[in-house]
Amino acid sequence: MNPRTKRRIVLSSAVVGGLAAAVAGGLMVRSWYRGTQLAEKRAEGLALFIKGEFGAALEPLSFAARDNGDTEVVLALAECRMRVPEANGRHFATAAAYFRAVQARDERNVRAMRGLLEAYIGLGRLPEIPPLVKRVLAEAPQDVRAREIEL
């Protein structure tokens, strides 16, 4: 092989290797930064939720809910959505979707079932309420709200 060809191959390999390392490093930094942002928004959103500032908590909780595995954040976001009214009752539909997403991961989550029950009442989905009340009472027999709805 020609020495000039060898140099070109070595130089091309070095350039490709350097670019690959730069891209990998950039992706690692982006992942770390995104994790930091999620943690900050999670803490901020949950603090606002605990204070009862539901409208202010929507933005940070929406950002933090990108981590779908964090059930606490998704439930807090759903409860905030339900408490901040939107036109045509859209807040109930949005909250119900979040509660159903939690239910898909954890069928026995009583907080999600209670929230879904309230959302269904707000939406007027009467046929879906009795089976959900039975599921809530199976998990939490002393639930006052479910007993009230059952009657």
Side-chain angles (χ1 to χ4, degrees), residues 78-102:
E79 290 176 18
C80 284
R81 287 278 182 213
M82 200 159 51
R83 290 186 174 125
V84 177
E86 293 179 359
N88 298 325
R90 279 187 9 195
H91 56 290
F92 288 120
T94 307
Y98 285 125
F99 287 127
R100 280 192 301 270
V102 172

Side-chain angles (χ1 to χ4, degrees), residues 93 96 100 116 119-130:
R100 280 192 301 270
L116 191 56
Y120 283 167
I121 290 170
L123 289 169
R125 293 188 182 172
L126 301 179
E128 298 172 13
I129 294 173

Side-chain angles (χ1 to χ4, degrees), residues 46-88:
L46 289 176
L48 289 169
F49 175 74
I50 290 169
K51 287 181 188 176
E53 298 176 19
F54 303 115
L58 283 174
E59 187 273 324
L61 287 175
S62 294
F63 189 90
R66 292 178 185 179
D67 176 17
N68 281 340
D70 194 347
T71 310
E72 183 181 3
V73 169
V74 176
L75 285 172
L77 177 61
E79 290 176 18
C80 284
R81 287 278 182 213
M82 200 159 51
R83 290 186 174 125
V84 177
E86 293 179 359
N88 298 325

Side-chain angles (χ1 to χ4, degrees), residues 9-21:
I9 290 173
V10 168
L11 183 61
S12 296
S13 298
V15 168
V16 168
L19 285 173

